[in-house]
Amino acid sequence: MSAPARSLIPHRRRWDKQPTQPAAVLIASAGDPIPAAAVSRSVALSAGQPVAVISLARIYGSALGLPNPGLLPSQRELAGQRQQVADALAALQRAGLDGWGQVAATRRPGRTIARVARARGVRHVILVTPSQPRWRRFVEGNLVREISRKLAPGTSVEAVIVLRPG
């Protein structure tokens, strides 16, 4: 293909590379606040090794394969996710642990959490999940089961349930 023809093809925007610093524990939230119980459990499981924190901003759909701007996370939502990660990292530092955090936007939370866990080589995943009625778990699926199926056999997945007001 000639150079002028290649310049007419739209290029995919390159995103930041996935962080790969090793960690013993991954605290993962699908957008819910990270409770102190999740941080304390990760401190107990880490045995002094670093802990990674990820919070996911949900993309709710696409049109013709392209993200619909109205369904993407807003800047306010992304800022809230960054603050949740920063708060969790501050709590980990108070406990004397090193940690890394990131915010990711995704349509498939289970796949993204499993990918981050594999990239960082974690042994334990602490998943922050909201309390859900049984019918919603049936429709949306069990995130803990989905993540554990995609990870290495020695990796454990635990859920910390957050009670939503209302």
Side-chain angles (χ1 to χ4, degrees), residues 5-96:
R6 201 174 308 126
S7 66
L8 296 175
I9 299 173
H11 295 286
R12 181 177 170 201
R13 181 176 171 189
R14 300 287 177 195
W15 301 100
D16 294 338
K17 284 191 156 200
Q18 172 68 40
T20 57
Q21 297 97 340
V25 179
L26 173 67
I27 301 173
S29 171
D32 295 302
I34 300 171
V39 174
S40 63
R41 182 66 179 147
S42 66
V43 169
L45 291 173
S46 70
Q49 294 181 342
V51 175
V53 180
I54 183 170
S55 185
L56 302 176
R58 182 81 186 220
I59 298 174
Y60 287 99
S62 61
L64 302 173
L66 301 172
N68 184 339
L71 299 175
L72 294 175
S74 66
Q75 290 300 318
R76 180 179 293 175
E77 182 180 356
L78 290 173
Q81 300 297 329
R82 286 187 205 102
Q83 186 60 46
Q84 288 176 12
V85 170
D87 292 344
L89 290 174
L92 289 169
Q93 286 180 345
R94 284 192 299 273

Side-chain angles (χ1 to χ4, degrees), residues 141-152:
N142 187 347
L143 194 56
V144 173
R145 188 178 308 140
E146 179 184 349
I147 293 169
S148 60
R149 275 195 339 248
K150 295 179 181 190
L151 292 176

Side-chain angles (χ1 to χ4, degrees), residues 114 117-118 121-123 125 147-157:
R118 284 191 309 267
V122 300
R123 293 187 317 268
V125 176
I147 293 169
S148 60
R149 275 195 339 248
K150 295 179 181 190
L151 292 176
T155 307
S156 69
V157 180

Side-chain angles (χ1 to χ4, degrees), residues 102-115:
Q102 69 185 94
V103 174
T106 184
R107 286 178 45 201
R108 298 187 179 117
R111 183 178 71 177
T112 303
I113 291 169
R115 184 181 300 154

